[in-house]
Amino acid sequence: MEATVEEADGIDKGTITAVGEVSNLPAEVKQAGSDRKPESLYVQGVDEGYSESVGYGFQTAAKEYGSSREVWDALHKDGDKAVIASGLAPARNASTFGDVEPSLKLTGFYGDDANLPEDLTLRVQDPASGTTKELRVIGVLESSASFAGQIVTSQETIDELAGRAVPPQTYYFGLREGADAAAVARTLEKDFAASGLQTEVTAEMIRDSDATRRIVFLLLRGFMGLGLVVGICALGVIAARSVVERRQQIGMMRALGFQKGQVRLAFLIESSFIALLGLGAGVGLGLGFSGTLIDNIREGFPGMEYVVPWSALLLVIFTGYAASLLTTYLPARRASRVYPAEALRYE
């Protein structure tokens, strides 16, 4: 595939930086040394191009490997090695509500251990050829490795199990930075139309699968925005009631020599104190809780970053404060026009 892509029409040289081939073989799998019944799973075989280019990390690995790159290198260089998805690894803090039972039960370790035991081995048999191999598990993939299989080994190991060359069913193409992924995908489909190649842009797949969550967040933002509007209107109502309920106090202030602008300013300062206190408390609690939430989520998704949208946050603060002053201005203006004699007679 890599050699063929270099000759493809419409793709500039250097646009595709890596090509990874992935094949799948149905097999019967169980933990070596256990008396459990084998489970039917697909074992994924990856070639050297995939192993050298993939960026997935590991929750835990065998102690002789110091980095994720060493694990991937060992997968296709040493032979009879495998890595497993995080969903297959037992968890210490697994809850009983909503958990999905793993398709293959493994024991003797946990997914958050510092290192995997040396004797963690899977017994894999190809039902078609009858060939059986024992694969040592050297790594547990991070939970964000959503496009990896449950059991991943080298392409050579898959071929030995099947007793033949298993053709790849999936190809991954790495592109140079700035390349138009959608345009490259269309070009590949055109050049390989006779082979029935179908392409998908990984970023678009992730966005599509994440669409529901983003819609829920938009709804939550809408409800929070509605709450902000209601709070601002409440400030206006409070200011209007203050003019009525504190009419005699306003008259006393005017009788003591307060000018109209001073009375108006007093109401605006009072409203500003309430608005700024509410905005400050909301921003502080939001930043505090969101940071803690992202830290907890980052345990399962190490690549997640906590980024505060300062421009949007400042816009909300400024808009909220300006709107609160606007809703308070009309009652404050009304209060400043109260005549002292009329206000002092008011009951």
Side-chain angles (χ1 to χ4, degrees):
M1 173 60 74
E2 187 173 2
T4 307
V5 164
E6 291 180 356
E7 301 174 358
D9 297 329
I11 299 179
D12 296 334
K13 187 175 181 180
T15 300
I16 296 179
T17 59
V19 178
E21 301 180 359
V22 177
S23 58
N24 291 281
L25 181 70
E28 298 293 323
V29 185
K30 73 170 188 174
Q31 186 173 0
S34 69
D35 55 357
R36 292 191 179 94
K37 182 181 177 181
E39 300 291 342
S40 298
L41 294 174
Y42 276 95
V43 180
Q44 192 176 81
V46 298
D47 71 339
E48 186 175 353
Y50 181 97
S51 298
E52 291 181 347
S53 305
V54 68
Y56 291 142
F58 295 89
Q59 291 183 1
T60 182
K63 64 181 179 180
E64 61 262 36
Y65 304 107
S67 66
S68 299
R69 178 49 46 203
E70 292 181 10
V71 176
W72 286 112
D73 290 342
L75 195 68
H76 71 267
K77 289 180 180 179
D78 297 348
D80 294 345
K81 300 290 191 301
V83 297
I84 61 174
S86 61
L88 294 182
R92 285 190 175 90
N93 57 349
S95 62
T96 58
F97 178 78
D99 280 346
V100 179
E101 286 290 330
S103 52
L104 177 66
K105 287 187 176 294
L106 302 176
T107 58
F109 75 103
Y110 291 101
D112 56 355
D113 287 344
N115 297 113
L116 291 176
E118 296 182 3
D119 59 348
L120 181 57
T121 306
L122 299 179
R123 186 178 179 85
V124 182
Q125 182 181 37
D126 177 22
S129 66
T131 304
T132 301
K133 292 183 74 67
E134 291 193 354
L135 307 181
R136 183 193 172 196
V137 179
I138 60 174
V140 177
L141 288 162
E142 60 189 5
S143 57
S144 59
S146 55
F147 291 94
Q150 290 185 302
I151 301 174
V152 183
T153 185
S154 66
Q155 181 64 50
E156 291 78 8
T157 303
I158 290 291
D159 293 343
E160 292 175 8
L161 274 169
R164 58 183 175 83
V166 180
Q169 295 90 27
T170 305
Y171 297 92
Y172 288 96
F173 299 93
L175 307 181
R176 72 163 183 260
E177 187 175 355
D180 188 342
V184 174
R186 290 192 297 268
T187 303
L188 287 172
E189 284 190 346
K190 178 181 177 182
D191 288 344
F192 292 91
S195 303
L197 180 69
Q198 296 180 342
T199 60
E200 291 182 288
V201 179
T202 306
E204 293 180 359
M205 293 173 60
I206 294 174
R207 281 194 293 268
D208 291 341
S209 64
D210 198 43
T212 301
R213 186 184 64 85
R214 287 188 285 113
I215 290 174
V216 172
F217 277 132
L218 286 175
L219 287 174
L220 291 175
R221 289 172 62 182
F223 283 124
M224 288 188 290
L226 180 61
L228 183 63
V229 172
V230 172
I232 292 172
C233 293
L235 281 177
V237 173
I238 292 172
R241 290 188 60 182
S242 295
V243 173
V244 177
E245 295 174 354
R246 295 159 60 184
R247 197 176 183 89
Q248 287 185 332
Q249 297 179 21
I250 296 171
M252 184 67 69
M253 293 168 62
R254 292 297 311 277
L256 292 174
F258 276 73
Q259 301 297 318
K260 292 182 178 181
Q262 292 175 318
V263 174
R264 184 166 56 243
L265 181 61
F267 276 87
L268 291 177
I269 291 175
E270 181 179 332
S271 177
S272 296
F273 175 77
I274 298 173
L276 291 176
L277 183 62
L279 289 169
V283 171
L285 290 173
L287 292 176
F289 281 117
S290 61
T292 303
L293 177 63
I294 295 301
D295 288 340
N296 292 333
I297 297 176
R298 192 182 288 122
E299 294 179 1
F301 297 89
M304 180 174 289
E305 296 181 3
Y306 178 51
V307 179
V308 179
W310 291 111
S311 57
L313 184 60
L314 292 175
L315 178 61
V316 170
I317 294 174
F318 176 79
T319 304
Y321 180 64
S324 66
L325 290 184
L326 181 63
T327 57
T328 308
Y329 177 76
L330 293 178
R333 185 166 175 264
R334 179 184 173 187
S336 67
R337 294 184 174 184
V338 173
Y339 290 101
E342 179 185 346
L344 291 174
R345 289 197 304 267
Y346 179 78
E347 296 183 359

